[in-house]
Amino acid sequence: MTEAHRQHVHSANDEQLRHLIHEHLKVFAKFTSANCAVCDALAPPFAKFVDEEPYQTILFLKLNSDENPVAKKLMQDKIAPFFVSYCQGRLLECAALTEEADVRAQLDRLRAFVPVK
């Protein structure tokens, strides 16, 4: 895959997230926090998933919960990072995850989800 065709993890804020989940069929968002060792450890695998063929139709986002009021509120009871799957603007799944395999499993459930027509 050439750099021109490579998908990227996009940084977003709360307002952009609200728009993007309605503009894209499937969105996978990672909410992080500063000085989070687990966030740092999961950053490389998260970025790798973007390039994998099965996930090419999914928009990948990352949000800094410390800079986003809505994300910060969601993070109050969660351990950073947490991952949120959206389809057709609806939240499908939200989970605090610490292992790459668990992130991939949630991503696979999003990929397999059949949207309402």
Side-chain angles (χ1 to χ4, degrees), residues 1 5-9 50-51 55-60:
M1 176 177 292
H5 292 97
R6 183 175 181 264
Q7 185 177 332
H8 295 280
V9 175
V50 173
D51 287 329
Y55 311 127
Q56 293 299 300
T57 59
I58 298 172
L59 177 67
F60 286 76

Side-chain angles (χ1 to χ4, degrees), residues 23-35:
E23 291 174 2
H24 297 272
L25 180 63
K26 294 182 179 182
V27 176
F28 194 60
K30 174 184 166 187
F31 291 78
T32 65
S33 184
N35 301 317

